[in-house]
Amino acid sequence: QLQLRESGPGLVKPSETLSLACTVSGVSISSTHYYWAWVRQPPGKGPEWIGTLYDSGRTNYNPFLQSRVTISVDTSKNQFFLSVTSVTAADTAIYYCVKHLTIGASRYNFFDPWGQGTRVTVSS
Amino acid sequence: EIVLTQSPDTLSLSPGERATLSCRASQNISILLAWYQQRPGQAPRLLIWDASNRATGVPARFSGSGSETDFILTVSSLEPEDSAVYYCQQRRDWHLTFGGGTKVEIK
């Protein structure tokens, strides 16, 4: 069964870089069937898509975050990563790693399943 | 950016009642909308994709309808475990966006 688990520091100082990892189990992250993404949810608000890693290695980012975000992958460890530079209090959120919905051989820009999430607070 | 507006903010109903949640898009998104359920302390869970398709394992009491700019999520007969916040999300534009959510409270 496919599972995703986020890991990383729970506290980051303003202006520093937030770095998270997502460990995927149950499937190979390099499979051509799957797209992977990061979504965050600030306290009391709805989710916000951060960016997607496609099977080709191409990435696509939320235009509001694009200048500060990088998603990368390490297929040998079956992990993908999120980096957000120059963080501020507005980056405080629960960060989820997710897989895009797959129906047969088709991939959709919806998210299923989700990891359990990791809470990140930006504070000095 | 496509803005999704959900209403009402909160719905308070008794077990067995019917819940009707609305999601309105700022422009035509065809049927390219999903609904998620988020129970307290949990990650969101996909319920409905492309407006009316139930995701794997979702009970039949959940149904979705609508197209273009107006969408509805219906829970035909509420169960206590349906207490949650429900979000809509569009995939019409590559900048994927979510609504602000509707909280469903079970009396």
Side-chain angles (χ1 to χ4, degrees), chain A residues 49-65:
Chain A
W49 169 70
I50 299 172
T52 291
L53 173 69
Y54 298 101
D55 55 356
S56 62
R58 185 175 67 88
T59 53
N60 192 23
Y61 300 124
N62 184 318
F64 295 151
L65 300 170

Side-chain angles (χ1 to χ4, degrees), chain A:
Chain A
Q1 182 182 356
L2 191 155
Q3 291 187 320
L4 305 99
R5 180 176 291 271
E6 306 85 353
S7 58
L11 182 64
V12 181
K13 290 182 168 53
S15 81
E16 294 189 344
T17 296
L18 180 164
S19 296
L20 298 175
C22 179
T23 301
V24 178
S25 58
V27 297
S28 170
I29 199 170
S30 58
S31 168
T32 56
H33 293 296
Y34 305 125
Y35 298 164
W36 308 96
W38 288 94
V39 176
R40 71 181 184 180
Q41 188 170 25
K45 295 186 178 180
E48 178 182 36
W49 169 70
I50 299 172
T52 291
L53 173 69
Y54 298 101
D55 55 356
S56 62
R58 185 175 67 88
T59 53
N60 192 23
Y61 300 124
N62 184 318
F64 295 151
L65 300 170
Q66 187 166 4
S67 62
R68 299 192 295 125
V69 169
T70 302
I71 296 176
S72 58
V73 63
D74 185 338
T75 55
S76 67
K77 294 183 179 178
N78 226 39
Q79 291 180 315
F80 65 104
F81 307 94
L82 173 69
S83 174
V84 183
T85 61
S86 304
V87 297
T88 69
D91 296 305
T92 294
I94 297 175
Y95 285 75
Y96 297 97
C97 58
V98 300
K99 184 183 75 62
H100 281 240
L101 174 68
T102 305
I103 304 290
S106 298
R107 284 75 55 96
Y108 295 81
N109 287 337
F110 298 131
F111 308 116
D112 179 58
W114 296 55
Q116 66 184 17
T118 187
R119 187 180 301 272
V120 177
T121 300
V122 178
S123 175
S124 54

Side-chain angles (χ1 to χ4, degrees), chain B residues 25-46:
Chain B
S26 60
Q27 59 187 269
N28 186 340
I29 60 169
S30 184
I31 60 166
L32 305 180
L33 185 103
W35 290 94
Y36 298 85
Q37 176 193 64
Q38 186 174 33
R39 293 176 174 142
Q42 295 187 14
R45 164 200 178 197
L46 180 69

Side-chain angles (χ1 to χ4, degrees), chain B:
Chain B
E1 179 192 11
I2 295 176
V3 177
L4 299 177
T5 303
Q6 293 187 241
S7 61
D9 290 335
T10 304
L11 207 49
S12 184
L13 294 168
S14 299
E17 288 193 301
R18 183 184 193 89
T20 303
L21 286 67
S22 172
C23 177
R24 177 162 289 177
S26 60
Q27 59 187 269
N28 186 340
I29 60 169
S30 184
I31 60 166
L32 305 180
L33 185 103
W35 290 94
Y36 298 85
Q37 176 193 64
Q38 186 174 33
R39 293 176 174 142
Q42 295 187 14
R45 164 200 178 197
L46 180 69
L47 294 177
I48 302 287
W49 58 275
D50 279 358
S52 62
N53 297 285
R54 267 191 305 276
T56 302
V58 174
R61 64 181 182 274
F62 291 92
S63 63
S65 63
S67 64
E68 298 188 357
T69 60
D70 291 294
F71 300 86
I72 297 290
L73 174 70
T74 301
V75 188
S76 59
S77 179
L78 282 166
E79 300 279 349
E81 62 264 31
D82 299 334
S83 178
V85 180
Y86 294 81
Y87 295 99
C88 54
Q89 181 234 320
Q90 63 80 23
R91 70 175 182 97
R92 174 63 179 86
D93 185 64
W94 67 269
H95 177 187
L96 308 174
T97 53
F98 290 82
T102 290
K103 183 176 183 178
V104 174
E105 297 178 340
I106 309 297
K107 294 177 183 175

